[in-house]
Amino acid sequence: MAETYTPTIGLEVHVQLRTRTKMFCACALDFGAPPNTRVCPVCLGYPGVLPVMNEEAIRLTVLAGLMIGSTISAYSKFDRKNYFYPDMPKNYQISQYDKPLCEGGTVEIEVNGELKRVGITRIHLEEDVAKNMHFAHASGIDFNRAGYPLMEVVSEPELASPDEAAAFLRALKQMLEYAAISDCNLEQGNMRCDVNCSVRPAGRTTLGAKVEIKNLNTIKGVHAALQYEIARQTAALAAGETLTQETRLWDSDAGVTTSMRTKESAHDYRYFPEPDLMPVVLDAARVEAWRAQLPELPRQRRERFVRDYGIPQYDARVLAADRAVADYYEAAARQSDNPKGVSNWMMSEMLRLLAERDTNIRQIAMKPDALAELVRLVDEKTINVPTAKDVFATLFAQGGSPHQMVKERGLAQVSDVAALEQTVQTAIRENPKSVEDYRKGKKAALQFLVGQVMRLTRGKANPQVARELLTKKLDE
Ligand code: ZN
Ligand code: MN
């Protein structure tokens, strides 16, 4: 019988913090600025310059730690991580070695409906390095990114599958976005991940040789690289090979990992305390003041949505998953007598259009109060649902007031019996066959006649009133 194998996965996630300026100098964070235009002697690594700590970066890192239940270090310090590479001309990165800002904590993930708590080893703060760019006949270095405040979240090796690793990254991203700690824009490299993965025969307690996959910058990439790597290691072990500890690179085009360096050539960073920076000493009062700034977490918000707005668990989960969507929903729900109705429009038209147009809810022209008003117009039966869908699409694209739009375009639904009577007569006169069918007991014929009334009024008739009037006339 074939042996089964168990994967063990740990993640190191680098997150760029949402500060105004860099970690140790006053250069602005400005993604997309022309290369090497947001630089100074400090982030270019000139000899003799002195770093100055960005307190906001410390605060954001501590907030992240508080959100996941870390112990916040009363005393922590920065260290030099020495290495030689063109992305860091001073030949060391300022990081934290043995005294990180946060230790311990857990991130809760959900995979296939099951909750799992994943341990966090530590969160430390460091500076980002420059970006190497490769062209046809040359390479360049952009120092705009050098010195960005970079928070590194290290998980315990407690993830057991690519799905769990992806769920972990989604949960972390959701929390960091909620607290505005980072924009977590994966395309802009705000969140980059190193993955540790080993495989061992099921039942064996000692871990297999650890493989590290470097610098993955999408959740999809992490998932795909892990799937590949687990299959590769499993096949090697099953064939009786011995695996060695090594660092590998993910090639997303080819869908494979390739060996970059083995343990023999692994770096020795020779960490030592950064002599140009004071230790970070945080007293309890300051940490508590920061704790008071913590926002409501996605999960708390979900529960509150169910409680306050009476919407189903499922709706609350979908709406609360993204902070901007949750804010939008809440702004509309607060102005509405029908928060469930607002949720229905969010869950259907809003999310569908956002996905279709591949846009962000922050960027759409339609305002939350317009959504509340649209729901009211439907509830008051001023417009029917098909008309409301058209109005929604127009509002989504160009904004404006639904009330105004209904008035200007004459979209108001006709519920007035006197006004509809004429049209009902016409529908009956023009469709003698259906009338006959109906009188013979064919109920479907009535639906057809309602459809005719809708057509004659160009969709504006209140279908319910039309149906009542038709039945009355036909049964006379
Ligand atoms: Zn600078
Ligand atoms: Mn790092």
Side-chain angles (χ1 to χ4, degrees), residues 22 25-27 38-40 42-43:
K22 293 187 180 180
C25 64
C27 291
R38 301 293 183 272
V39 294
C40 74
V42 174
C43 53

Side-chain angles (χ1 to χ4, degrees), residues 14 20 33 40 62 71 74-75 78 90 139 187 192 213 297 345 349 357 363 381 406-407 422 438 441 448 454:
H14 285 96
R20 248 174 5 89
C40 74
V62 169
T71 304
Y75 172 94
F78 285 96
K90 60 183 195 282
S139 287
E187 288 76 40
R192 306 182 319 257
I213 313 164
L297 289 178
W345 284 92
E349 296 302 290
R357 313 277 152 90
Q363 271 137 26
K381 304 211 178 343
V406 166
K407 221 169 99 188
Q422 197 72 39
Y438 174 77
F448 174 78
M454 297 306 288

Side-chain angles (χ1 to χ4, degrees), residues 14 81 93 95 124 126 150 152:
H14 285 96
K81 177 181 181 179
Q93 177 191 28
S95 180
H124 69 254
E126 59 191 31
L150 198 62
E152 183 170 337

Side-chain angles (χ1 to χ4, degrees), residues 17 33 54 61 77 102 108 138 146 150-151 170 226 234 243 285 294 344 363 366 368 384 399-400 421 425 441 455:
L17 299 176
N54 182 339
T61 305
K77 67 174 175 67
C102 312
E108 196 171 274
L150 198 62
M151 175 176 86
R170 279 196 303 271
L226 275 169
T234 302
L243 291 166
L294 271 180
N344 290 343
Q363 271 137 26
M366 181 179 185
N384 58 30
E421 207 133 72
Q425 292 287 19
R455 184 180 62 82

Side-chain angles (χ1 to χ4, degrees), residues 28-158:
L29 304 195
D30 189 2
F31 183 85
N36 299 307
T37 55
R38 301 293 183 272
V39 294
C40 74
V42 174
C43 53
L44 285 171
Y46 281 22
V49 294
L50 290 172
V52 177
M53 217 182 289
N54 182 339
E55 189 192 348
E56 178 63 0
I58 307 271
R59 185 183 74 91
L60 293 177
T61 305
V62 169
L63 278 190
L66 290 171
M67 279 204 298
I68 60 166
S70 301
T71 304
I72 309 303
S73 307
Y75 172 94
S76 76
K77 67 174 175 67
F78 285 96
D79 299 275
R80 290 187 180 183
K81 177 181 181 179
N82 297 281
Y83 71 96
F84 179 76
Y85 201 63
D87 64 9
M88 184 53 87
K90 60 183 195 282
N91 290 339
Y92 59 83
Q93 177 191 28
I94 303 179
S95 180
Q96 297 194 289
Y97 183 52
D98 55 340
K99 299 277 182 197
L101 270 168
C102 312
E103 288 183 88
T106 50
V107 169
E108 196 171 274
I109 63 168
E110 195 185 319
V111 175
N112 301 328
E114 283 196 37
L115 286 179
K116 176 171 176 173
R117 296 167 74 84
V118 181
I120 298 298
T121 315
R122 57 187 271 157
I123 306 177
H124 69 254
L125 189 53
E126 59 191 31
E127 57 180 336
D128 207 345
V129 297
K131 191 174 177 183
N132 293 330
M133 303 169 92
H134 304 289
F135 311 106
H137 300 289
S139 287
I141 307 174
D142 180 7
F143 281 88
N144 285 354
R145 195 182 75 178
Y148 267 47
L150 198 62
M151 175 176 86
E152 183 170 337
V153 182
V154 182
S155 89
E156 290 289 312
E158 293 177 353

